[in-house]
Structures are given as C-alpha cells and as structure tokens.
Amino acid sequence: PDQIERTADPISSEPAEREKPPRILLVEDEKMLLSLVGRLLTKSGYEVVCAETYQEAVDIWSEDKNFDLLFTDVHLGAGPDGVDLARTLKQDRPELRTIYASGYSPRLNECETELVEGRNFLPKPYKLALARQLIEKSLCSRSSSVST
C-alpha cells in the first residue's frame, strides 16, 4: 500500500511531464555557433530546431508553431533582426518566451523590448551553463504563470 501511495504522489509524476523535451527555435547567423549551441542544447535535453536567418525562422514557424522558447541572436545580418523576429512570432503566440543574445548590436540601445541580462538577454560570448540556466528560468516562469 505504501508503494501505491508513492506512485500517486504528484512528485513522482514530474518526470512524466518532462518526457517530452522543451522545444527551442534557435536562430543564429554564425553557422559554427549555431551548430555548436544547437548540439549542446540537444545534449542538455532540449529539442532544438535551428535557423540561420530571419526568413528561415519564419518559414519554420509557419510550418510548426509548437515551440516553448525562441533563442535568437539580436543581429541576424542584413534585414530584420532577432527583435523583429520575436515580434513577428509573438503575433501568433504572445506567450512565446524569448531569449536574446548579442555581442554587440546598435539596436540594443534603441530597442523598445526590455533586454535584461540574466532574464531575457545573454551577452556574447556566453557560457552554455549560463544559457541553460536562463532557458530553465524562462521555461519555469512560463509554467508557473500558466498554473496560476
């Protein structure tokens, strides 16, 4: 009987909730960094879909909007940037969590999106452990805001 009670315990059901890994749309215009971060996040237990450009990310999104998080570089080369990308995707899903990364972008100073290091912004170069912490923090805040 004691074992039956333990299996009914909500704590023991938590791993079942995590069976499906969180999905991240990773957007980075530097190929080597995109590949490296994508592989490392996948090894960390996330399902990662990579895009190199704004347009590639929008195309992926138009086929599948089932992402838990957008992790994007602010600067994506010529044309729309990561802030524009987040704004576009959030038209479909306003609750989409977003983490921005940048080594430098003139857009940071003029951006109306509040970028706060440690909350939704990672300065480059960043350590993977810090990226994972920020991702988990963002995903946890999403689940806690949904449950309340």
Side-chain angles (χ1 to χ4, degrees):
D2 192 32
Q3 285 182 333
I4 293 171
E5 287 179 54
R6 273 191 242 140
T7 57
D9 187 333
I11 293 171
S12 64
S13 66
E14 280 183 2
E17 292 174 16
R18 282 287 240 184
E19 278 180 25
K20 188 176 178 188
R23 294 187 77 218
I24 298 174
L25 178 55
L26 176 63
V27 187
E28 169 61 60
D29 64 333
E30 294 179 39
K31 276 186 183 192
M32 288 178 44
L33 187 56
L34 177 66
S35 176
L36 176 65
V37 173
R39 281 195 319 268
L40 293 173
L41 289 177
T42 298
K43 285 182 180 181
S44 296
Y46 302 104
E47 182 182 334
V48 181
V49 177
C50 296
E52 230 180 294
T53 65
Y54 170 92
Q55 190 57 54
E56 187 179 356
V58 169
D59 291 346
I60 290 167
W61 182 261
S62 69
E63 297 291 321
D64 179 6
K65 295 173 180 59
N66 190 25
F67 288 93
D68 300 296
L69 181 85
L70 169 65
F71 187 158
T72 183
D73 189 4
V74 172
H75 180 72
L76 296 174
D81 62 18
V83 174
D84 296 321
L85 176 62
R87 188 177 300 119
T88 298
L89 303 189
K90 287 181 179 196
Q91 287 176 359
D92 292 325
R93 295 223 0 249
E95 74 280 6
L96 180 67
R97 297 294 179 183
T98 303
I99 295 174
Y100 303 91
S102 181
Y104 168 78
S105 176
R107 179 82 189 263
L108 292 179
N109 295 330
E110 63 186 53
C111 180
E112 67 277 357
T113 300
E114 187 180 347
L115 301 178
V116 179
E117 188 173 338
R119 190 184 76 193
N120 68 346
F121 178 73
L122 274 172
K124 288 181 179 179
Y126 55 83
K127 295 185 180 194
L128 182 63
L130 186 57
R132 285 193 315 236
Q133 281 180 341
L134 197 53
I135 289 168
E136 281 303 312
K137 188 179 190 181
S138 183
L139 292 172
C140 287
S141 70
R142 177 176 169 241
S143 62
S144 65
S145 66
V146 169
S147 64
T148 57

